[in-house]
Amino acid sequence: MPQNARRAYFDHRLYRDYLESGHVRDSYSYCEPDKPLHNGPISRVGTHNALASTPYVSMIGGYRNSDGRPATYSATGYHAPPAFNSQSDVDVIFPCDDSDTNSGILGAGPRDGAALAMNGTSVATALSSRMMIDCLLTDPDAEPGQPWLQTQARNYANEGRPEHYKHAAPLKAGAGHLPYPDSYRDVGAGVGMRARRGRSGITKLNF
């Protein structure tokens, strides 16, 4: 197939962008047990950013809050040889979409008190940062990071995770799902700083 400009790309006669059902093809199925959704040399495995291939960076993926399915645009890790001294795998996944029809989750908008729906693994990463900050506010001596996040995900799978969520492939979801941080659920998205402080008598504004 002709391509414009000079972009380099991989292609193979066995690779398909979509499943027979019409859904976008992901790297793994969302069922138990999971199975890879590719045949041939071209796959979506190892689609994470190279900057994440280090033990010093937490790799956060995203999932759909309605059913726990990892987002198709969320990267898939890759089991690199030990000699590479790299992590190359997803640690955990956070919400990045409400449902299949409602893209994104609510976050703070550009004005005080405004809320805006945003999606992507950047949103999931922000939630992971917020969860770790909540932890440090409660326990300043805590050491949140990769092991801490993975432990939280395993605990959530054993107690608290919705029953209809399935076990996602480890290369896609790492140690598993994590929910919205407590401060996100308690305070809510788009509540301005002045309203949170409660000092000026300003209530939440709706835009």
Side-chain angles (χ1 to χ4, degrees):
M1 179 181 296
Q3 297 289 319
N4 296 327
R6 296 181 178 179
R7 293 175 295 179
Y9 69 99
F10 294 102
D11 199 2
H12 192 270
R13 60 183 179 82
L14 295 178
Y15 184 79
R16 298 290 183 273
D17 291 330
Y18 298 91
L19 300 172
E20 293 182 358
S21 62
H23 292 87
V24 175
R25 181 182 297 274
D26 204 346
S27 52
Y28 286 88
S29 64
Y30 184 54
C31 61
E32 299 177 355
D34 56 73
K35 59 181 180 180
L37 295 178
H38 63 269
N39 49 15
I42 306 300
S43 76
R44 291 174 178 258
V45 174
T47 52
H48 61 289
N49 192 301
L51 295 175
S53 298
T54 168
Y56 306 106
V57 174
S58 296
M59 187 171 171
I60 308 300
Y63 71 88
R64 205 162 58 195
N65 195 47
S66 60
D67 59 2
R69 177 186 291 272
T72 55
Y73 54 77
S74 186
T76 305
Y78 172 71
H79 284 305
F84 279 77
N85 191 30
S86 61
Q87 176 184 312
S88 300
D89 290 331
V90 177
D91 286 308
V92 295
I93 51 177
F94 277 85
C96 59
D97 285 305
D98 278 335
S99 67
D100 196 21
T101 55
N102 291 326
S103 175
I105 61 174
L106 288 180
R111 299 178 62 182
D112 189 33
L116 182 68
M118 298 174 282
N119 76 330
T121 52
S122 297
V123 176
T125 302
L127 291 178
S128 71
S129 299
R130 187 164 184 169
M131 177 173 282
M132 288 187 283
I133 290 172
D134 288 346
C135 173
L136 289 173
L137 289 173
T138 304
D139 182 8
D141 296 326
E143 297 182 358
Q146 292 173 351
W148 184 86
L149 286 170
Q150 293 170 2
T151 299
Q152 299 303 309
R154 296 187 186 100
N155 293 339
Y156 184 59
N158 294 327
E159 184 178 355
R161 191 181 73 179
E163 294 183 359
H164 64 282
Y165 279 22
K166 299 182 179 66
H167 173 76
L171 283 182
K172 187 75 179 179
H177 303 81
L178 275 174
Y180 293 109
D182 291 338
S183 61
Y184 180 94
R185 296 195 304 266
D186 296 341
V187 178
V191 179
M193 291 302 298
R194 289 175 296 174
R196 291 184 187 182
R197 293 168 182 161
R199 296 175 180 175
S200 58
I202 297 176
T203 57
K204 180 180 178 181
L205 304 177
N206 295 316
F207 293 93

